[in-house]
């Protein structure tokens, strides 16, 4: 609790407390072939956003979810979703299978008017093959050779709507690619001044941790701090399967080396 107290200057609501427990213990991870960093900028009334990641011997898994609604109802819906995704992921399930199982859980346990959008990613560490499943979520952005674009993916229905299988899109990551996942808090009407593609291209030389902080600051400026929904972001850099990096340079990308 001492650690938690040091990170908050206002009391959390019960919904915010639940939501915080759904996030990974570390928001940044460094490894030879990749770096990632995430951030959640919460609305005053928690909006159900989560991000997560996991690394095993063969794959890196990423997920971004957004439970409908606000307050405790959204936090509980997010809890059910994240619990299902982690459970199936720990059985080495593919993104499509993870989405399918989470969908089944929501159809059984949630109200008919409740749903969750999600984006699930699995990257094969040996060659950079990425499998993605989009369940009604905003598309991710790809920064490649200085140019930022929104990836065109098959978009399935949100989780908890219909009993229907989810499609998988696959593409090949190239060394120095950057992938950015967001929730629709960055696309809300009062956040329109946030130009994701320009920000992504303009921060190409910065560490993912700096990128997510930059985007969080930008949306707070654009909305005057009045967020109507959570705004979450996950930034992932791919260096290639054979990259060996000394990450002792901290958040400065120039402080890392690739022999």
């Amino acid at each position: 609790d001492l650690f938690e107290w040091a990170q908050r200057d206002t009391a959390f609501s019960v919904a915010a407390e639940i939501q915080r427990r759904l996030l990974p213990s570390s928001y940044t991870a460094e490894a030879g072939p990749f770096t990632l960093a995430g951030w959640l900028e919460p609305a005053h009334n928690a909006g159900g956003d989560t991000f997560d990641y996991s690394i095993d011997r063969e794959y890196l898994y990423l997920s971004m979810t957004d439970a409908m609604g606000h307050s405790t109802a959204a936090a509980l819906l997010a809890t059910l979703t994240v619990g299902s995704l982690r459970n199936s992921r720990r059985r080495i399930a593919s993104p499509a299978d993870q989405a399918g199982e989470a969908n089944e859980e929501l159809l059984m346990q949630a109200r008919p008017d409740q749903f969750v959008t999600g984006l699930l990613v699995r990257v094969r560490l040996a060659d950079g093959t990425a499998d993605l499943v989009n369940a009604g979520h905003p598309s991710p952005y790809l920064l490649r050779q200085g140019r930022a674009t929104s990836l065109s993916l098959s978009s399935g229905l949100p989780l908890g709507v219909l009993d229907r299988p989810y499609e998988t899109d696959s593409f090949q990551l190239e060394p120095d690619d950057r992938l950015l996942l967001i929730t629709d808090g960055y696309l809300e009407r009062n956040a329109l001044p946030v130009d994701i593609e320009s920000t992504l291209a303009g921060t190409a030389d910065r560490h993912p941790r700096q990128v997510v902080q930059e985007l969080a600051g930008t949306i707070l400026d654009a909305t005057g701090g009045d967020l109507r929904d959570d705004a979450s972001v996950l930034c992932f850099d791919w260096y290639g399967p054979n990259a060996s990096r000394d990450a002792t340079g901290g958040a400065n990308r120039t402080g890392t080396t690739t022999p």
Side-chain angles (χ1 to χ4, degrees):
D1 285 354
L2 287 173
F3 178 76
E4 284 292 331
W5 289 339
Q7 297 185 77
R8 55 182 79 178
D9 55 7
T10 59
F12 277 16
S13 66
V14 172
E17 194 71 60
I18 294 171
Q19 186 174 16
R20 185 172 175 84
R21 298 283 73 79
L22 299 177
L23 301 177
S25 57
S26 174
Y27 292 180
T28 303
E30 296 268 12
F34 69 86
T35 298
L36 65 84
W39 189 256
L40 186 157
E41 196 62 47
H44 296 302
N45 191 8
D49 280 14
T50 70
F51 65 85
D52 201 12
Y53 66 86
S54 178
I55 309 157
D56 63 26
R57 292 189 177 187
E58 188 174 1
Y59 296 108
L60 165 69
Y61 297 88
L62 308 172
S63 68
M64 181 77 75
T65 59
D66 183 1
M68 63 152 287
H70 296 277
S71 195
T72 308
L76 293 176
L77 192 61
T79 300
L80 177 60
T81 304
V82 172
S84 175
L85 292 175
R86 287 175 174 169
N87 180 261
S88 56
R89 186 187 71 205
R90 289 164 183 165
R91 288 184 276 107
I92 321 298
S94 69
D97 288 339
Q98 291 178 42
E101 293 193 25
N103 187 52
E104 290 179 10
E105 288 294 331
L106 289 173
L107 287 171
M108 289 189 296
Q109 305 293 341
R111 299 194 315 262
D113 63 335
Q114 291 181 310
F115 62 86
V116 178
T117 70
L119 188 62
L120 310 179
V121 183
R122 183 179 68 177
V123 179
R124 188 166 184 265
L125 299 175
D127 59 11
T129 301
D131 296 325
L132 301 91
V133 170
N134 187 350
H137 200 79
S139 294
Y141 293 85
L142 174 67
L143 179 69
R144 175 173 289 174
Q145 297 179 351
R147 183 170 178 263
T149 57
S150 176
L151 286 179
S152 179
L153 301 177
S154 303
S155 183
L157 292 171
L159 305 170
V161 175
L162 287 176
D163 184 8
R164 183 177 296 175
Y166 286 88
E167 295 184 35
T168 300
D169 289 285
S170 297
F171 79 100
Q172 186 66 44
L173 287 167
E174 298 178 1
D176 297 324
D177 277 355
R178 170 169 285 175
L179 199 62
L180 191 79
L181 284 61
I182 63 169
T183 57
D184 64 1
Y186 278 96
L187 307 175
E188 290 294 325
R189 184 177 300 278
N190 68 336
L192 283 180
V194 179
D195 187 335
I196 301 293
E197 293 185 13
S198 294
T199 302
L200 191 56
T203 56
D205 62 339
R206 301 178 69 184
H207 190 282
R209 182 166 53 243
Q210 294 176 307
V211 175
V212 298
Q213 292 290 340
E214 173 90 9
L215 283 165
T218 300
I219 195 169
L220 288 175
D221 290 342
T223 61
D226 181 24
L227 290 179
R228 299 175 185 174
D229 195 5
D230 293 347
S232 297
V233 59
L234 184 60
C235 183
F236 164 68
D237 282 0
W238 175 252
Y239 304 111
N242 300 316
S244 177
R245 301 167 50 252
D246 176 5
T248 57
N252 185 348
R253 284 174 62 106
T254 61
T256 63
T257 58
T258 303

